[in-house]
């Protein structure tokens, strides 16, 4: 059996814990090391699983790893992706891919010129309801898409996410990219025009926006609107939601991506809890990344896919600043 040697750079983003769990579950994967400048973020993981720790990611890139999974702070993605590409490693990078169009283009070019693949981590593509909705759209069940109304309303993550120097933006950046990727994927078209609203409404004193609405027009004539916010309170049963109302020329479809859950009420926890029983999106995404590399096939979600969603959020900030629609 062919083995893929995988390294991980940074556990700044919490998704890294799910990704390492998914990688460890695959017999065809060997994790050769984890690098993080803050050892406290990875100490429990490396000790539990006997994975080698690196303080400097550059030393990790000197190993014989075939691929790297990057979950660092948003502003460090470009540095880590480009260095990994120059070391000849394939890359899966956490979203948003970057904090400017220019740096994302450099990331994509670095991977292309070094003959390695770049995948953007968009696990929502692997949610059962999303997969089935995509199949229904492709089979023509609702005709041509006219408009999509989406939501990605989550809880305020805190930490470096609220520091502009590390995150590159607030909720408009953090919670546009997932559902905008789905909109791009479903329409098969590129966003050409963006109008957005962003503000700090739910958390007094926050340095970044925690509420936003983003409106887009696609090249094929379809329209989209997305509620992108950190509006869910601490008492909310889960981190947030992913929904879409898709309007077609022949019908309408509703997608509630996290509906596969049981509601649990317990005095011990003090609040309602959603106990999920649906398929794990992270596991499917990581498996798809590994399978593509081992089989020599293109990764299913490209760096360009990451750019196409992040550039919409970045254009949204430009729209907010100018108070008018902007073109991409």
């Amino acid at each position: 059996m062919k083995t893929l040697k995988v390294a991980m750079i940074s556990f700044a983003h919490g998704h890294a814990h799910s990704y390492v769990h998914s990688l460890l579950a695959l017999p065809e994967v060997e994790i050769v090391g984890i690098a993080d400048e803050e050892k406290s973020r990875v100490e429990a993981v490396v000790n539990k699983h006997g994975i080698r720790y690196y303080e400097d990611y550059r030393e990790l890139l000197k190993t014989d790893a075939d691929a790297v999974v990057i979950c660092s702070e948003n502003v460090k993605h470009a540095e880590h992706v480009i260095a990994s590409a120059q070391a000849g490693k394939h890359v899966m990078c956490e979203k948003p891919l970057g904090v400017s169009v220019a740096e994302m283009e450099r990331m994509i070019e670095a991977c292309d010129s070094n003959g390695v693949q770049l995948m953007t981590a968009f696990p929502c593509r692997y949610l059962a309801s999303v997969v089935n909705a995509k199949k229904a759209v492709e089979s023509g069940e609702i005709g041509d898409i006219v408009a999509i109304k989406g939501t990605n309303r989550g809880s305020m993550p805190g930490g470096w996410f609220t520091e502009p120097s590390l995150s590159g933006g607030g909720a408009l950046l953090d919670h546009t990219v997932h559902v905008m990727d789905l909109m791009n994927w479903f329409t098969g078209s590129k966003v050409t025009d963006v109008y957005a609203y962003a503000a700090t409404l739910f958390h007094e004193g926050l340095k970044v926006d925690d509420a936003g609405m983003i409106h887009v027009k696609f090249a094929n004539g379809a329209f989209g609107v997305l509620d992108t916010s950190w509006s869910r309170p601490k008492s909310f049963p889960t981190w947030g939601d992913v929904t879409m109302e898709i309007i077609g020329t022949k019908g309408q479809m509703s997608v509630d991506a996290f509906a596969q859950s049981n509601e649990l009420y317990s005095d011990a926890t003090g609040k309602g809890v959603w106990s999920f029983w649906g398929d794990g999106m992270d596991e499917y995404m990581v498996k798809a990344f590994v399978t593509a590399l081992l089989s020599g096939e293109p990764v299913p979600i490209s760096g360009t896919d990451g750019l196409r969603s992040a550039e919409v959020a970045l254009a949204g900030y430009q729209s907010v600043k100018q108070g008018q629609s902007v073109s991409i």
Side-chain angles (χ1 to χ4, degrees):
M1 181 177 64
K2 293 175 65 176
T3 299
L4 188 75
K5 295 184 177 182
V6 179
M8 300 187 71
I9 296 178
S10 184
F11 271 48
H13 199 297
H15 285 171
H17 291 277
S18 177
Y19 299 160
V20 73
H21 175 78
S22 300
L23 289 166
L24 288 167
L26 297 174
E28 65 270 36
V29 170
E30 176 189 350
I31 301 179
V32 299
I34 297 175
D36 197 312
E37 60 192 3
E38 296 184 26
K39 189 174 183 179
S40 59
R41 291 194 295 214
V42 300
E43 192 165 18
V45 173
V46 296
N47 288 343
K48 179 179 180 180
H49 300 289
I51 302 171
R52 186 170 180 181
Y53 166 72
Y54 294 80
E55 183 176 8
D56 189 339
Y57 75 89
R58 299 171 190 84
E59 294 301 314
L60 177 56
L61 292 179
K62 293 177 182 178
T63 68
D64 61 349
D66 302 302
V68 178
V69 175
I70 296 170
C71 292
S72 53
E73 298 87 345
N74 297 343
V75 300
K76 298 178 182 178
H77 287 178
E79 173 190 338
H80 292 157
V81 168
I82 292 171
S84 298
Q86 291 173 343
K89 318 297 186 186
H90 300 289
V91 179
M92 185 175 80
C93 183
E94 184 55 59
K95 62 80 189 168
L97 185 62
V99 295
S100 77
V101 171
E103 75 173 20
M104 288 186 284
E105 290 174 339
R106 290 196 300 272
M107 295 158 74
I108 293 168
E109 194 281 328
C111 290
D112 288 343
S113 62
N114 285 280
V116 298
Q117 295 206 62
L118 172 59
M119 178 165 163
T120 309
F122 282 138
C124 289
R125 287 202 191 191
Y126 294 90
L127 289 159
S129 57
V130 172
V131 171
N132 289 327
K134 182 67 161 60
K135 290 178 181 177
V137 169
E138 289 178 341
S139 67
E141 289 188 26
I142 63 169
D144 296 326
I145 293 177
V146 176
I148 304 178
K149 175 186 176 183
T151 67
N152 192 186
R153 301 164 296 193
S155 302
M156 195 271 289
W160 63 265
F161 285 91
T162 64
E163 292 293 337
S165 61
L166 293 173
S167 64
L172 194 66
L173 177 61
D174 186 41
H175 275 194
T176 289
V177 289
H178 273 306
V179 178
M180 188 53 58
D181 173 65
L182 297 182
M183 290 185 179
N184 290 337
W185 191 39
F186 274 61
T187 61
S189 187
K190 182 182 183 297
V191 170
T192 59
D193 297 275
V194 179
Y195 180 78
Y197 164 84
T200 305
L201 301 179
F202 303 105
H203 305 87
E204 186 176 351
L206 208 61
K207 297 178 183 178
V208 294
D209 54 284
D210 62 8
M213 292 289 291
I214 195 155
H215 305 254
V216 299
K217 180 180 179 181
F218 293 90
N220 66 358
F223 291 89
V225 60
L226 175 60
D227 178 347
T228 167
S229 68
W230 294 335
S231 57
R232 308 296 91 170
K234 290 181 179 180
S235 57
F236 198 67
T238 188
W239 66 268
D241 69 4
V242 170
T243 73
M244 290 190 294
E245 296 286 337
I246 308 169
I247 313 300
T249 54
K250 296 180 180 179
Q252 178 178 338
M253 184 185 306
S254 297
V255 178
D256 185 352
F258 298 138
Q260 292 177 311
S261 63
N262 298 314
E263 294 184 2
L264 172 66
Y265 296 91
S266 168
D267 291 339
T269 60
K271 65 175 184 178
V273 176
W274 288 351
S275 176
F276 290 99
W277 51 264
D279 295 331
M281 58 180 179
D282 290 350
E283 289 89 343
Y284 282 122
M285 181 188 69
V286 169
K287 174 69 173 178
F289 175 64
V290 169
T291 299
L293 295 184
L294 287 176
S295 62
E297 298 294 326
V299 292
I301 310 171
S302 69
T304 300
D305 291 331
L307 185 155
R308 290 289 175 250
S309 66
E311 71 177 351
V312 174
L314 297 170
Y317 283 120
Q318 185 180 352
S319 170
V320 171
K321 185 176 181 180
Q322 296 180 4
Q324 62 184 20
S325 175
V326 299
S327 298
I328 298 180

